[in-house]
Amino acid sequence: VRPVYVTGVGLHPFGRFAEASVTSLGAHAVRQALAEAGCGRDGFQAAFCGTVYSGVAAGHKVLTALGLSGVPTVNVEAGCASGGAALALGAAQVAGGRYDTVLVFGMEKMPRGMIRSSFFEPWREEAGLAATPAYFALRAQRLMLESDVRLEDLARVSAVFHRHGVDNPHAMYRKALGVEEILASQVVCEPLRLLMLCAPNEGAAAVVLSARPDGPGAVRVAAAALRSHHAGSVLGEHTPMSGLAEEGVATPTEMAVRDAFAEADLLPADVDVVELQDTDAARAILSAEELGLCRRGGGGRWVREGGCERGTRPAVNPSGGLLSKGEPLGASALGQVVELTWQLRGAAGPRQVPGARVGLAHTVGRGANACVMLLAR
Amino acid sequence: MAEARAVAPGLFTDGANGPRLVAGRCATCAKPHFPAASICPYCGADGCEEIHAGPEARLCLFTAVQTRPPGYRGEVPYGFGVVELAGGLRVVTRLTEARLERLRPGLAMRLVIEPVFTDDEGRPIVCWAFRPEEA
């Protein structure tokens, strides 16, 4: 198995772009990544595109628009982890020696408001049992019952990530928010307030993976682990109608992070910077518990002691996270990879985590799908 | 008045003994699931049997949905939560109570069938829900 390197990254900022097609968002990111990698028309041998809402052959349309079609091209859908799944597939092709260089990209143009998902049968929508924020709310309540998490901790983690987001020119929201302001925002589903939830939006990200560390900015892909759920948890991201009372079902995130460290020659203590899934404030804390950034049940204390701050080690969501950036499903995981690549290159500007050498990216969502990627300099 | 229709077939019954959820139980691993399916979601074995679950349950988790989610034509706010039935089966459910101060974990709940909305032909569309026992 050969090492795999990120040799170029590209990003279309996350936000709302009424005039731009999803193809043009993807093309923007792809062009940037290929230019950075010094990769021309014949410079990559396959392409993997993560997207959920973009329709038939969406990745092909991007390469067609750029005059780069011809290589094997695969569109990958794995819910919130789509971009991570695309990267895992691409990296395996390079590691296994089938291709020397592959292009991985992800893009999305999400409808406004509450996410409508073909994942749910129509009767579940009609019965009011397909309300995504309500599932998030139940998960938040469970976290508050089973962990030491208080309502103020949910507000605090959102406030911290929004403060980080102020320094990210690619984020949708760049305004610092106070804990009181977050607590006073509209109740969407108790206990979650509007400013504790991320917004579905639009954007694109792209990464060139190569077997050779070409150029000074190359970063190694130490692991890309993808897992789905085991049945049993009624609040699992596969959003079942039922589950069982017995505890102890490993979550997709717990399985993916275990696989990632088993695959990499790295230890959890080596990680300097983390970009974790924060579709809502409770998800952020649960992610920290599942990833082992704090003990299970200790997420509240982790927040209160500043565990989610950019200044602690590992630094968490220096980009501002999805709470600041918004979530364009197919692009969000690769957006994390782009951010971590900048961090490991020392090129993250005011967001820079000093001396960062190892980064961890985490996405989890519908399916259920979880992806954990480890990058190292 | 047009006859009521269930939001989907096979989810619940409403016979002489009152409402029951139609759940499944695996003949191989014995684990229960809902809605009933012929293939066990836990072990993949064929030949699950249908069982009637409820009407008693305990409230585990709850919230209130304030704005209409996509595809939903019923009233808001409405209660939404997880209840645990006999045998450890936990079910995602509507709750008749959206005033959260009236709910708490562990509360005794009872299965009911309630109208959710009226369809284009004027028929009431009904779904199961759980209501607090003491209400």
Side-chain angles (χ1 to χ4, degrees), chain A residues 114-116 122-135 137-139 141-142 145-146 186-191 231-235 240-247, chain B residues 5 7-8 11 31-35 41-42 60-73 78 80-82 84 88-94 100 105 116-117 127-128:
Chain A
M114 216 182 282
I115 296 180
R116 184 163 203 172
W123 74 263
R124 272 181 79 168
E125 291 193 335
E126 290 188 341
L129 298 173
T132 299
Y135 285 94
L138 297 184
R139 196 169 58 199
Q141 188 188 36
R142 184 184 61 181
L145 290 170
E146 294 180 357
Q186 182 201 335
V187 173
V188 175
C189 285
E190 191 68 41
S233 174
V234 70
L235 289 186
M241 283 305 303
S242 73
L244 297 173
E246 300 124 61
E247 293 302 316
Chain B
R5 177 174 70 81
V7 70
L11 297 170
K31 287 180 176 157
H33 61 266
F34 173 79
Y42 291 95
C60 299
L61 300 164
F62 51 91
T63 188
V65 179
Q66 305 289 345
T67 54
R68 280 198 182 86
Y72 177 69
R73 295 155 67 186
Y78 63 94
F80 177 84
V82 171
E84 186 174 324
L89 178 66
R90 290 186 180 181
V91 170
V92 174
T93 183
R94 292 174 63 88
L100 301 182
V116 178
F117 66 99
C127 187
W128 86 90

Side-chain angles (χ1 to χ4, degrees), chain B residues 3-67:
Chain B
E3 197 180 337
R5 177 174 70 81
V7 70
L11 297 170
F12 52 85
T13 63
D14 196 6
N17 295 329
R20 298 287 187 274
L21 293 180
V22 180
R25 183 167 53 206
C26 179
T28 304
C29 76
K31 287 180 176 157
H33 61 266
F34 173 79
S38 61
I39 300 169
C40 175
Y42 291 95
C43 73
D46 284 308
C48 292
E49 55 169 347
E50 284 191 1
I51 56 170
H52 285 178
E56 289 93 13
R58 291 273 166 195
L59 186 60
C60 299
L61 300 164
F62 51 91
T63 188
V65 179
Q66 305 289 345
T67 54

Side-chain angles (χ1 to χ4, degrees), chain A residues 113-306:
Chain A
M114 216 182 282
I115 296 180
R116 184 163 203 172
S117 178
S118 61
F119 188 80
F120 291 116
E121 301 90 335
W123 74 263
R124 272 181 79 168
E125 291 193 335
E126 290 188 341
L129 298 173
T132 299
Y135 285 94
F136 291 179
L138 297 184
R139 196 169 58 199
Q141 188 188 36
R142 184 184 61 181
L143 190 68
M144 292 169 74
L145 290 170
E146 294 180 357
S147 291
D148 60 344
V149 173
R150 306 171 202 150
L151 187 62
E152 290 72 23
D153 300 325
L154 298 180
R156 187 167 316 187
V157 76
S158 181
V160 168
F161 292 167
H162 276 103
R163 173 153 41 79
H164 296 173
V166 170
D167 290 328
N168 187 349
H170 314 291
M172 186 176 186
Y173 301 109
R174 299 188 62 195
K175 183 170 169 279
L177 299 172
V179 167
E180 292 308 316
E181 187 181 356
I182 292 165
L183 288 172
S185 65
Q186 182 201 335
V187 173
V188 175
C189 285
E190 191 68 41
L192 294 178
R193 274 65 179 156
L194 186 64
L195 297 177
M196 297 174 181
L197 288 154
C198 94
N201 65 353
E202 307 169 20
V207 173
V208 176
L209 300 179
S210 178
R212 292 182 312 274
D214 293 333
V219 162
R220 186 167 56 90
V221 180
L226 182 71
R227 288 300 290 255
S228 59
H229 70 283
H230 288 311
S233 174
V234 70
L235 289 186
E237 284 88 2
H238 55 306
T239 46
M241 283 305 303
S242 73
L244 297 173
E246 300 124 61
E247 293 302 316
V249 183
T251 67
T253 295
E254 289 171 329
M255 294 189 282
V257 74
R258 205 163 54 209
D259 286 0
F261 281 107
E263 183 182 335
D265 49 352
L266 297 166
L267 297 169
D270 295 327
V271 176
D272 300 304
V273 52
V274 173
E275 287 282 330
L276 56 72
Q277 179 93 4
D278 59 337
T279 27
D280 67 85
R283 175 70 258 179
I285 298 174
L286 184 60
S287 296
E289 291 192 11
E290 291 179 320
L291 290 169
L293 302 183
C294 60
R295 67 172 178 80
R296 270 294 207 171
R301 183 172 170 190
W302 176 76
V303 172
R304 293 190 291 277
E305 291 182 348

